[in-house]
Amino acid sequence: MSWEAVIGLETHAQLRTQSKIFSGAATAFGAEPNRQACAVDIALPGVLPVLNREAVACAIKFGLAVGAAIAPRSIFARKNYFYPDLPKGYQISQFELPVVSGGGLTIRVGEQEKFVHLTRAHLEEDAGKSLHEDFHGKTGIDLNRAGTPLLEIVTEPDMCSSAEAVAYAKALHSLVTWIGICDGNMQEGSFRCDANVSVRRVGAPLGTRREIKNLNSFRFLQAAIDYEIQWQINEIEEGRKIQQATVLWNPDSGETRAMRSKEDAHDYRYFPDPDLLPLEIAPAWIDEVKASLPELPQAMKARLASDHGLSPYDAATLTATRATANYFEDCVAAAGRENAKTCANWVMGELSARLNREDLDFVAVPLAPTLLAGIVRRIADNTLSNKLAREVFDALWAGEGKDADAVIEARGLKQISDSGAIEALIDAVLAANPKSVEEFRAGKDKAFNALVGQVMKAAGGKANPRQVNDLLRRKLAG
Amino acid sequence: MINSSLKELSAALARKKTSAVELATLFLDRIEKLNPSLNAFVTTDREKALAMARVADASGKVGAGDTPLAGIPLAHKDIFMTSGWRTTCGSKMLSNFIAPYDATVVEKFKVAGMVTLGKLNMDEFAMGSSNETSFYGPVKNPWDTARVPGGSSGGSAAAVAARLAPAATGTDTGGSIRQPAALCGLTGLKPTYGVVSRYGMIAFASSLDQGGPMAKSAEDCALLLNTMAGFDPRDSTSLERPAEDYARDLEKPLQGLRIGLPKEFFGEGMDADVRAAVEAALAEYRKLGATMVEVNLPNSGLSVPAYYVIAPAEASSNLSRFDGVRYGHRAPDYADLDDMYSKSRAQGFGEEVKRRILIGTYVLSHGYYDAYYLQAQKIRRLIANDFVAAFKSCDVIMGPTAPSVAFRFGDKSADPVQMYLSDIYTIAVNLAGLPGMSIPCGFGNADMPVGLQIVGPWFGEAKMLNIAHRYQLVTDWHIRQPGGLP
């Protein structure tokens, strides 16, 4: 019998608030160690937490975006354990009553769509960082991150492959950045995943799971799950039992390594935090947040497909991030709706490739959407061939010329679409290449392409390719 | 001057009969002379105190209508963070800890122009009823230095009783203002939970802790509470209510007052001398026009066990921050991280604190939480409901504050349960979040003071102060002072 994997993810999304979840200190990344840690963050005696409403608004936003229930009353609890970068000796989190429960996300792997159910999402504070380098056998503590608001998003064990897990993580990443509650920066740890993985024979009851902690790239997520699945299958096939454990992924060795087993798991002694009142969310607050929600990716995908006749694949690609979608929509607005398909091709093709090559993304495109729209318009009215359009694109990218028309003018790139002029060019080429003409007439199609090439060369690349094709065929036939 | 009420001191300052510097000097000199035998203060700083007094004298606040306490000295329980002052909470753990900020309460008194004389001794982390758990040694009861002053605000009670300060701050988690007030012959008020900000008050049991005034009279307490109370956005459990003048009803006659007497507070366990003094006080109230109503608090017998689940549970978590990593005591030698934690905490905390951390950790542990913590929370609600029902037939509840007068050092310290029972009448009030007071109502065995407890409904402080004040107009227990002191 074959094996199947059962995977659930827990994702920590750092919320984009100005200040921390329980203090007024700033949350910006990269400050000097301990410069963004106030009395509350370093847990001086006597300090008390005060909940940041902005963090709650982020949680409500998320709940609405995934169709979850927003709890009218949820409870903050203390999760007690000792660690040097956990200043209070407990983390304020939510345990029994989380702010968000249920809902889910649609993911797509190849042609297959799947709905991944969410168990819950709860608010909590991040810990600080222990710094082991540069301290010569000692440990440095940086509490800048302590108290940063997190939303921990937990799925049901709905996924059965690393591909599904990655598709879910990407869809979630896209959603939290789309609705603006997380900056999505995985390198800085703003979005990190823990994967619970178990394997079983198809149809058998659930196996024992191991949790892979702190995966901060989609690549690691994929590799770690793949490794873990295979490792668990091997263990069982060799007659060993899987022990519940927390493991770490080592990207250098490409292996997971156990951190702690179930026996030495912490007893966190959760109890309601007596310093904080229950979090009450009135329907009016939910309505207010709802009104501030942007169009969600699923809805926008459907709209783009129906408005512009885009394929589901194209619509999904264009709505992969809100920045991409915004860019596309701005481009269409400037180029005209009738040119939406061309806009889509350029955004997904030339522009995406260029951004990739230069390690940029749609958040900061050097080429304004109106400039790309200018190119699209000149393609539509036959002023530019695709080849010339790419030249204009390169020029505008390099900052040359104020728009497409200026570049066309300055470089003399206007496409030759005058039949008379093209015919004259063709006649000259046919006269100069009798051998190719003969070969074509003998049935060699390659010869035709060679002749087209000659005509284009004679035109300095500016002749309208379709016209060249048509006229050449007519001449050769005649 | 050392026996003057706050109102009298305020008037003397306003009429320039004295100055803040003169008053501060008077009390600082007494502290210097008497504190070695009483051990009420753990930290004094003459220069700092006099500097504050000079600021007060120059500020224009003295004699101003909205700052009636300006220029008057007071002392803070060492549980309140006091910027620039060592703040120890009675523990070795914080023996070198200089507070970098002011508690809200401290800040409010500072803004009011009051002068800080020093920091007052207390049971370690407010855990104790006799002041014997302080790392800085026990406080002596000024009425008899062989006896305890009560706790945990024992330093506050002894200091005011010995006239080392006109007034002091205290905190009350299970009786820590009322019981020492009773044992030292003072008036002390624990307000409704949420009336006084807990910001900067080192947490023992967050859902029970409440700061309050300790002074010679109800009138003094009312004036102090006017400054202490108020909504604080830095404390999420602070209540957002309009400011009130707690002295507004002081003079109201008590005709028609209904005093509830829970039979649970008058059963076995109370010493005869305490009973006699309390009953004499009730007789006085009848003369003032009050009627007595019998009420029931059927679950009050469960308050001590429920308290000793909830308070240690919260404490075990609240005290986790004292780990030797960022501040406080760190063991000089350790092998690794776990060793650093256990040695630092083993050395920094005393026996009673460790006992409560152990109890609290146990009751919150997986598999025990439901049986202990959740169960105790249910009992807590029942106790609160009992009071709500009782207040349907009475305006306030009265009874003894403590079952006996001040006991001798060592009498109860060997038996934690006996010690815990010292708070049998006060603990239910904290569990229900109600305001509670203790006022002096006579003397018992060995001529030691006895306290009468007054418990009001939520936000009943002004009424309770009125009830206490009218009694103090016709009795003089509250102005008696310990003999044998200069």
Side-chain angles (χ1 to χ4, degrees), chain A residues 116-168:
Chain A
V116 176
H117 296 84
L118 296 183
T119 313
R120 58 188 278 162
H122 67 252
L123 286 164
E124 63 182 27
E125 58 179 342
D126 208 343
K129 274 185 192 156
S130 295
L131 310 167
H132 299 290
E133 288 147 32
D134 309 331
F135 289 93
H136 310 289
K138 295 183 178 177
T139 299
I141 306 290
D142 177 5
L143 296 176
N144 282 349
R145 204 181 62 185
T148 298
L150 299 176
L151 190 66
E152 181 174 337
I153 302 153
V154 184
T155 72
E156 292 290 307
D158 279 357
M159 290 154 280
C160 52
S161 67
S162 63
E164 285 187 1
V166 169
Y168 162 78

Side-chain angles (χ1 to χ4, degrees), chain A residues 39-40 42-51 78 80 82-84 86-90 96 141 143 267 269-272 274-277, chain B residues 81 97 100-101 198-202 206-207 233-237 314 317-318 320-322 325-327 337 341 345 361 364-366 369 373:
Chain A
V40 173
I42 66 177
L44 284 182
V47 296
L48 296 170
V50 176
L51 179 61
R78 292 184 183 178
N80 294 284
F82 284 99
Y83 205 70
L86 186 73
K88 294 189 292 295
Y90 57 84
E96 278 182 344
I141 306 290
L143 296 176
D267 177 356
R269 307 190 310 279
Y270 281 101
F271 76 107
D275 287 332
L276 290 161
L277 303 177
Chain B
M81 295 287 277
F97 183 74
Y101 73 96
R198 293 188 297 113
Y199 189 80
M201 201 175 100
I202 298 175
S206 313
S207 73
R234 291 177 296 188
D235 174 2
S236 307
T237 61
E314 293 180 8
S317 176
N318 282 334
S320 292
R321 69 188 57 199
F322 303 105
V325 172
R326 299 165 318 288
Y327 52 79
L337 180 62
Y341 282 144
R345 289 165 65 82
T361 303
L364 289 176
S365 296
H366 187 72
Y369 179 83
Y373 188 78

Side-chain angles (χ1 to χ4, degrees), chain B residues 58-132:
Chain B
S59 67
K61 287 178 182 170
V62 172
D66 57 342
T67 50
L69 301 179
I72 299 174
L74 92 165
H76 293 298
K77 184 176 182 179
D78 211 17
I79 201 167
F80 288 102
M81 295 287 277
T82 314
S83 186
W85 292 75
R86 186 173 73 138
T87 299
T88 70
C89 219
S91 182
K92 178 182 179 184
M93 183 58 86
L94 293 176
S95 56
N96 289 316
F97 183 74
I98 309 293
Y101 73 96
D102 275 329
T104 298
V105 162
V106 171
E107 188 182 270
K108 279 171 173 279
F109 280 123
K110 212 185 239 182
V111 171
M114 292 191 83
V115 174
T116 306
L117 291 171
K119 305 296 296 289
L120 295 161
N121 205 347
M122 56 183 282
D123 278 299
E124 186 180 8
F125 285 102
M127 298 175 189
S129 307
S130 66
N131 232 286
E132 290 166 292

Side-chain angles (χ1 to χ4, degrees), chain B residues 102-277:
Chain B
D102 275 329
T104 298
V105 162
V106 171
E107 188 182 270
K108 279 171 173 279
F109 280 123
K110 212 185 239 182
V111 171
M114 292 191 83
V115 174
T116 306
L117 291 171
K119 305 296 296 289
L120 295 161
N121 205 347
M122 56 183 282
D123 278 299
E124 186 180 8
F125 285 102
M127 298 175 189
S129 307
S130 66
N131 232 286
E132 290 166 292
T133 73
S134 170
F135 174 69
Y136 304 92
V139 177
K140 313 288 171 56
N141 191 318
W143 293 88
D144 176 354
T145 53
R147 291 175 189 265
V148 305
S152 66
S153 311
S156 308
V160 179
R163 311 301 192 243
L164 304 187
T169 53
T171 62
D172 190 316
T173 305
S176 283
I177 286 176
R178 289 159 290 160
Q179 185 255 18
L183 269 46
C184 290
L186 294 184
T187 303
L189 170 62
K190 178 207 98 74
T192 305
Y193 183 80
V195 163
V196 170
S197 168
R198 293 188 297 113
Y199 189 80
M201 201 175 100
I202 298 175
F204 160 16
S206 313
S207 73
L208 301 160
D209 295 343
Q210 185 64 194
M214 299 177 75
K216 295 187 290 289
S217 68
E219 183 190 68
D220 285 1
C221 283
L223 295 176
L224 292 162
L225 189 60
N226 278 348
T227 298
M228 278 181 107
F231 172 66
D232 182 0
R234 291 177 296 188
D235 174 2
S236 307
T237 61
S238 159
L239 296 162
E240 206 165 357
R241 312 179 73 244
E244 50 177 306
D245 174 8
Y246 293 98
R248 67 184 186 275
D249 290 336
L250 281 179
E251 308 295 337
K252 268 194 177 171
L254 300 186
Q255 208 63 44
L257 177 73
R258 296 169 306 161
I259 296 174
L261 304 177
K263 58 175 193 286
E264 294 80 4
F265 283 11
F266 289 87
E268 279 174 40
M270 177 172 27
D271 287 356
D273 57 330
V274 172
R275 184 186 300 273

Side-chain angles (χ1 to χ4, degrees), chain B residues 212-396:
Chain B
M214 299 177 75
K216 295 187 290 289
S217 68
E219 183 190 68
D220 285 1
C221 283
L223 295 176
L224 292 162
L225 189 60
N226 278 348
T227 298
M228 278 181 107
F231 172 66
D232 182 0
R234 291 177 296 188
D235 174 2
S236 307
T237 61
S238 159
L239 296 162
E240 206 165 357
R241 312 179 73 244
E244 50 177 306
D245 174 8
Y246 293 98
R248 67 184 186 275
D249 290 336
L250 281 179
E251 308 295 337
K252 268 194 177 171
L254 300 186
Q255 208 63 44
L257 177 73
R258 296 169 306 161
I259 296 174
L261 304 177
K263 58 175 193 286
E264 294 80 4
F265 283 11
F266 289 87
E268 279 174 40
M270 177 172 27
D271 287 356
D273 57 330
V274 172
R275 184 186 300 273
V278 168
E279 283 180 351
L282 297 175
E284 199 65 52
Y285 272 110
R286 280 195 196 89
K287 282 194 246 165
L288 289 168
T291 55
M292 303 295 151
V293 185
E294 189 176 301
V295 295
N296 288 317
L297 299 171
N299 294 293
S300 62
L302 298 172
S303 58
V304 171
Y307 175 89
Y308 278 98
V309 169
I310 293 167
E314 293 180 8
S316 71
S317 176
N318 282 334
L319 269 59
S320 292
R321 69 188 57 199
F322 303 105
D323 57 6
V325 172
R326 299 165 318 288
Y327 52 79
H329 178 75
R330 185 191 290 189
D333 299 300
Y334 46 86
D336 55 23
L337 180 62
D338 281 342
D339 196 39
M340 185 192 91
Y341 282 144
S342 49
K343 283 203 177 118
S344 301
R345 289 165 65 82
Q347 294 165 9
F349 290 141
E351 288 309 304
E352 184 60 28
V353 170
K354 283 181 214 167
R355 180 177 2 258
R356 299 208 197 182
I357 290 174
L358 285 172
I359 293 170
T361 303
Y362 179 81
V363 300
L364 289 176
S365 296
H366 187 72
Y368 298 96
Y369 179 83
D370 290 7
Y372 291 103
Y373 188 78
L374 272 190
Q375 198 66 12
Q377 290 291 8
K378 284 180 196 157
I379 291 170
R380 185 174 185 174
R381 270 193 296 280
L382 295 178
I383 288 170
N385 292 343
D386 283 355
F387 278 106
V388 170
F391 283 124
K392 282 182 180 150
S393 60
C394 65
D395 302 307
V396 289

